[in-house]
Amino acid sequence: MGSPLETPQPLVLHERPLVKLGRVALDAVSGVRALVSLFLRTLWFTFRGSRPKGATALQAFEIGNRSAPFLALTMAFIGMILVYQSAVQLGRIVPDYSMVGANYAELLVRELGPTIGGLMLATRVGAGMAAETASMVVTEQVDALRLCAADPVDFLVVPRFLASLVMTVVVIVLCSGLAYATGALTALVAFDVRLDVFVNLSLVDFGDVATGLTKSLAYGAAIPICSCHCGLAAEGGSAGVGRATTAAVVLSSLAIIVINFFISASAFLVGL
Amino acid sequence: MGFLMALSSRLPYRVWGDLRGFVASLGGGVLLQAATVGQMGVLLSRIAARSTPARLDRRELVRHMEFMAIESLPIVGVTALFTGAIVIIQAAPVVQRFGAEGLLGWGAGFGVLREIGPLLTALMISGRVGANNTADLGTMVVTEQVDGLRALAIDPIAYLIVPRFFALIATLALMTIFSDVLALVGAALAGEVLVGLTMHGFYNGFTSGLIEFKDVAHGLIKSVAFGFIVALSSCHFGLATTGGAPGVGRSVKASVVASATGIFALDYFLSFVVP
Amino acid sequence: MIRLDSLGVRLVDRRRGDRRWVLKDVSLCVPTGCIYGLVGPGAAGKSVLLKTVVGLLEVEEGLVALDAIDVGQAAPLELELLRRRIGMAFQNNALFDDLTVADNIAFPLRRLFSPSDDEVREKVKERLDCVTLSGFQDRMPAGLSGGQKKRVAFARATITRPPFLILDEPAAGLDPVSSQRLFDLIKRDVTASGSTCLAVSSDLDRLLPICDRVGVLVNGQLLFDGTVAEARNAADPRVYQFINGLPDGPL
């Protein structure tokens, strides 16, 4: 970081655009390769590892219990906002709000619940995982693990990966239910849509549930892999921990947006 | 929030055995959150006191903005393109059910400009720029650089915080415009490739007169408010860092969590208040 | 015996983005039962050298051998067996935040061997007594002072009675009394168990008296390798200046 009297220098400005583009592309390729490699090693150690018992349960508590309040709060707000905005939008053409609930339920199950929830988990859980692992790297705890024949992927990544896989789905399902409830309340209070009209699940079919669950699972796998990758790559004291945590939030969020696009597009093309 | 946090973290241990301890920790949690909000208020008033136009270093402001914009351009761009495409993919079945493909351009434009553009841009900027800001300030605090400034009789708030604060607000507003445009491009492209709606049809739907200037303004007003909350929480948690390298990590996490909470809460109120 | 033969190590330089030689052509030998003191100015590559010796960093050129095992070429299983015979204390202590002091000290023992609980308890108590931290078993690392953490880290490094003991700044931040006690303890332990010790420290006044041999590393190159007495009268002006702590000179 240098001294505080040093202001950030946008060095990238002076690079020729094509050179920069090429460098970014190369970085992206090697980054994806590193992520895939970490993912494969995580899978390997999931079945072959010798980590202590209970580490996964501890992480599950951390992810599920500690991040539930934050996720519940944001999802409650997003439920109210989205019902309000879509009703306003609908009101400009046909002021008939009878189908708002049915469409909202479908959209919540297949898109908004998993993705907004996933983005929030990427922020909360991703930053936490990266901060922890990066701190362990810069204080040489990871070196000490390796010296005791304890692979950091086995000891640090696998418990977080397994816990996240399970808890992401659980937390997203619960918080989507909450978002549905706050949406129903908003429709009742702001647009006089009765609850028995709003609660209409006729549009939610198997394809929607399958898409939503697939997304939740994929996010649950992507968040710990991206965050631990950033955390384990940290170097250089407190500035390094800060950089790693920032990078983890960005990378996990980006991964969610990209995964969302590919799953949504495939589901659309398959006709689910 | 303090209530929920205290509840969730204490419940399994406390509620069966020691009810008094549980109630105490609940109150403690509430007080802790209240203290954070109060400290943010104090920081805000100190920023306001040092924000007279005469004292604002414009060169510094522009330099920070340049830096923030450049580091967040790629991620905001990618996010916007993909998000626009997803909006179309999710809206297509609904619109087809009503048999109103011509309205797809309008529907996507409405959602992007009023809600999704500002919201996702704010979340991404909070992750990229806000978190970076916290990490920078946190590192300066734990390596005692901020104390060094004070020893030189340089006011850290005026020197470090004020330019970053305003640069972040301005950057977020500009990035929202950039991301609105790219999201619409992504929506149009996805409509062409995946849904079979021509670009021309998308354009016609978008400009059919149902989108008004106030929809764009609605989104931009929100984005300024989001910038405000991201800037305030990232500066607060950066300056409040303690405890070496792990402390910097904890600060960044606290900062992005507080920013996201603030963004959603503000979004809720502004959606109702702003026409 | 620890043997380094024209060792070269390259690491990625974050600022410039390329790989830079951190160690170049380093050759030294630590005979079994010896204490070897490695000294040098900051950023000379001392920690990198230690981490390369224990197999945490890749050997790019040359040879690192612990007894008859080539660390750079060792198969994973061979490396794991080798690690049972290494104890290392890190510069940043590297104590696990979520384990108690006792569990931290017992970690290598439990991971690398299969001891009974009684055996673990006994050995941990013996180590804690040695570093004058009796009764600290159930404390957490976060609640210890800098000097106490250093001593716990040393206890962890020596819990398995390793034939190879690698110490990176074992006494940084300790008060003079504890520091002297720790160096005396190192000397006693190494003499008693006949292990081979490679130690880095900036505290030359306390390190040199217990060393059998000393090496001076400057900018990734080993300028000097010999006995302490030879070092004090070294011909190289940089070595002479560093060992004798003179303010004026080429460094």
Side-chain angles (χ1 to χ4, degrees):
Chain A
M1 289 302 101
S3 84
L5 301 166
E6 212 174 89
T7 40
Q9 288 292 330
L11 283 173
V12 269
L13 266 189
H14 309 301
E15 216 166 1
R16 272 178 299 172
L18 267 181
V19 175
K20 172 150 171 64
L21 195 69
R23 214 171 45 118
V24 167
L26 281 181
D27 284 356
V29 169
S30 68
V32 169
R33 194 185 297 151
L35 283 177
V36 171
S37 146
L38 180 60
F39 181 56
L40 293 178
R41 275 184 291 157
T42 306
L43 285 184
W44 165 259
F45 279 115
T46 300
F47 299 107
R48 300 299 300 270
S50 59
R51 64 197 164 277
K53 307 272 172 289
T56 306
L58 202 71
Q59 290 299 326
F61 176 77
E62 181 68 31
I63 297 173
N65 209 321
R66 293 273 163 83
S67 51
F70 168 62
L71 216 79
L73 192 72
T74 48
M75 294 288 277
F77 276 121
I78 199 78
M80 298 191 271
I81 298 163
L82 286 167
V83 168
Y84 181 80
Q85 293 280 20
S86 45
V88 167
Q89 182 175 12
L90 195 64
R92 292 220 187 149
I93 22 175
V94 271
D96 166 24
Y97 299 122
S98 60
M99 284 303 280
V100 166
N103 280 316
Y104 176 62
E106 185 191 22
L107 211 57
L108 190 67
V109 168
R110 71 180 294 148
E111 173 65 41
L112 296 168
T115 303
I116 302 283
L119 281 174
M120 290 302 103
L121 279 172
T123 301
R124 172 72 172 77
V125 175
M129 286 179 180
E132 279 165 25
T133 45
S135 302
M136 291 188 75
V137 171
V138 300
T139 56
E140 297 179 310
Q141 291 181 49
V142 170
D143 282 335
L145 276 180
R146 286 173 61 201
L147 211 54
C148 296
D151 196 295
V153 175
D154 186 17
F155 263 64
L156 303 178
V157 186
V158 172
R160 288 171 171 78
F161 176 76
L162 293 178
S164 164
L165 216 52
V166 176
M167 294 318 282
T168 302
V169 177
V170 171
V171 170
I172 281 180
V173 169
L174 288 178
C175 291
S176 300
L178 186 63
Y180 189 65
T182 56
L185 275 181
T186 309
L188 179 68
V189 173
F191 299 95
D192 289 329
V193 182
R194 290 207 326 272
L195 284 183
D196 56 323
V197 177
F198 189 90
V199 179
N200 175 354
L201 298 179
S202 61
L203 289 178
V204 181
D205 56 14
F206 169 74
D208 297 325
V209 177
T211 313
L213 284 180
T214 312
K215 281 181 184 174
S216 307
L217 260 183
Y219 302 158
I223 292 169
I225 297 290
C226 292
S227 314
C228 291
H229 166 72
C230 293
L232 290 176
E235 51 185 79
S238 49
V241 176
R243 270 197 303 271
T245 313
T246 308
V249 175
V250 172
L251 188 63
S252 316
S253 310
L254 207 58
I256 283 176
I257 303 257
V258 174
I259 290 174
N260 182 21
F261 171 76
F262 283 110
I263 295 183
S264 296
S266 335
F268 179 80
L269 292 176
V270 172
L272 277 176
Chain B
M1 181 159 167
F3 169 78
L4 286 168
M5 269 184 162
L7 193 69
S8 79
S9 59
R10 299 298 180 206
L11 204 54
Y13 304 124
R14 297 282 192 183
V15 75
W16 307 116
D18 184 2
L19 196 65
R20 251 179 61 202
F22 168 66
V23 174
S25 72
L26 201 72
V30 173
L31 285 181
L32 210 67
Q33 301 298 327
T36 305
V37 173
Q39 283 163 4
M40 282 194 193
V42 172
L43 178 63
L44 185 63
S45 67
R46 288 166 69 189
I47 291 173
R50 290 163 180 80
S51 304
T52 49
R55 290 187 61 180
L56 190 62
D57 186 343
R58 288 203 182 75
R59 241 182 22 170
E60 194 77 342
L61 181 74
V62 170
R63 211 154 32 186
H64 276 291
M65 271 180 69
E66 216 172 61
F67 186 70
M68 288 173 177
I70 285 170
E71 72 180 355
S72 53
L73 262 181
I75 170 164
V76 169
V78 172
T79 307
L81 276 175
F82 278 102
T83 307
I86 292 161
V87 169
I88 282 289
I89 292 171
Q90 299 298 354
V94 181
V95 174
Q96 278 163 352
R97 215 173 284 143
F98 289 114
E101 270 89 350
L103 289 176
L104 203 50
W106 165 70
F110 190 89
V112 164
L113 293 177
R114 272 180 82 100
E115 195 55 55
I116 295 164
L119 186 65
L120 277 181
T121 312
L123 287 177
M124 285 296 162
I125 294 275
S126 151
R128 185 80 193 86
V129 181
N132 210 359
N133 192 17
T134 308
D136 265 10
L137 291 173
T139 305
M140 287 183 189
V141 171
V142 299
T143 56
E144 298 175 332
Q145 294 184 47
V146 174
D147 292 337
L149 280 180
R150 284 210 187 89
L152 293 171
I154 299 172
D155 179 14
I157 304 281
Y159 182 77
L160 288 175
I161 305 295
V162 171
R164 285 159 198 260
F165 187 82
F166 289 104
L168 210 157
I169 296 177
T171 307
L172 181 46
L174 289 176
M175 280 294 146
T176 303
I177 299 174
F178 168 71
S179 121
D180 280 350
V181 173
L182 272 190
L184 291 175
V185 171
L189 282 175
E192 171 106 35
V193 176
L194 291 169
V195 185
L197 177 80
T198 60
M199 295 261 210
H200 190 70
F202 184 89
Y203 182 76
N204 278 345
F206 182 64
T207 53
S208 58
L210 282 164
I211 292 191
E212 299 162 29
F213 176 71
K214 71 176 187 191
D215 294 324
V216 181
H218 181 96
L220 286 180
I221 290 172
K222 276 185 183 175
S223 79
V224 171
F226 296 162
F228 193 75
I229 202 79
V230 171
L232 189 60
S233 84
S234 74
C235 290
H236 165 73
F237 283 104
L239 288 179
T241 305
T242 51
V248 174
R250 279 196 300 272
S251 279
V252 173
K253 181 174 119 178
S255 153
V256 286
V257 167
S259 293
T261 313
I263 287 170
F264 278 98
L266 268 184
D267 192 7
Y268 168 69
F269 292 112
L270 290 177
S271 290
F272 283 101
V273 173
V274 181
Chain C
M1 188 179 72
I2 301 174
R3 195 157 63 86
L4 272 58
D5 215 355
S6 55
L7 169 71
V9 173
R10 273 199 296 184
L11 289 180
V12 178
D13 187 335
R14 249 198 75 87
R15 277 228 315 267
R16 294 189 313 189
D18 56 352
R19 281 155 65 82
R20 192 169 52 89
W21 288 102
V22 181
L23 292 177
K24 190 84 180 123
D25 197 26
V26 174
S27 303
L28 60 84
C29 181
V30 189
T32 307
C34 259
I35 298 180
Y36 191 100
L38 189 65
V39 298
K46 302 181 298 264
S47 295
V48 172
L49 190 143
L50 295 192
K51 286 188 183 177
T52 314
V53 166
V54 297
L56 288 172
L57 293 174
E58 207 178 313
V59 177
E60 189 120 356
E61 260 185 23
L63 173 89
V64 176
L66 299 183
D67 282 350
I69 299 164
D70 180 348
V71 175
Q73 305 294 321
L77 190 66
E78 217 176 346
L79 206 57
E80 191 162 326
L81 287 176
L82 181 65
R83 281 181 175 160
R84 290 186 175 196
R85 305 169 57 204
I86 299 175
M88 178 162 180
F90 290 89
Q91 193 173 9
N92 297 314
N93 308 324
L95 299 179
F96 303 117
D97 302 317
D98 50 349
L99 299 181
T100 60
V101 166
D103 286 337
N104 258 298
I105 296 177
F107 190 83
L109 200 61
R110 292 203 174 112
R111 277 296 299 176
L112 298 169
F113 303 89
S114 315
S116 70
D117 283 352
D118 288 336
E119 196 184 340
V120 170
R121 209 171 306 128
E122 208 171 288
K123 285 192 169 170
V124 168
K125 187 173 177 330
E126 187 271 333
R127 278 291 94 187
L128 278 175
D129 291 345
C130 270
V131 294
T132 61
L133 287 175
S134 311
F136 273 61
Q137 274 93 338
D138 294 326
R139 298 272 289 267
M140 297 306 278
L144 301 181
S145 75
Q148 289 169 335
K149 284 183 194 166
K150 275 283 169 212
R151 286 183 276 164
V152 174
F154 178 77
R156 186 174 70 180
T158 50
I159 183 82
T160 60
R161 297 282 164 194
F164 299 106
L165 184 58
I166 313 290
L167 304 172
D168 197 352
E169 298 282 6
L174 258 62
D175 63 88
V177 177
S178 315
S179 183
Q180 190 58 53
R181 275 193 196 138
L182 189 66
F183 278 110
D184 291 345
L185 179 65
I186 295 171
K187 180 75 179 167
R188 262 204 322 277
D189 267 12
V190 171
T191 318
S193 61
S195 54
T196 311
C197 176
L198 183 56
V200 165
S201 178
S202 332
D203 192 352
L204 294 186
D205 295 340
R206 295 196 174 78
L207 175 69
L208 293 184
I210 67 160
C211 285
D212 300 302
R213 286 178 77 81
V214 62
V216 179
L217 196 68
V218 176
N219 282 333
Q221 286 179 316
L222 196 67
L223 296 182
F224 178 84
D225 174 27
T227 63
V228 178
E230 283 167 8
R232 291 202 190 278
N233 304 303
D236 189 317
R238 289 173 292 179
V239 176
Y240 186 81
Q241 183 200 352
F242 190 83
I243 293 287
N244 293 297
L246 307 174
D248 301 314
L251 280 178

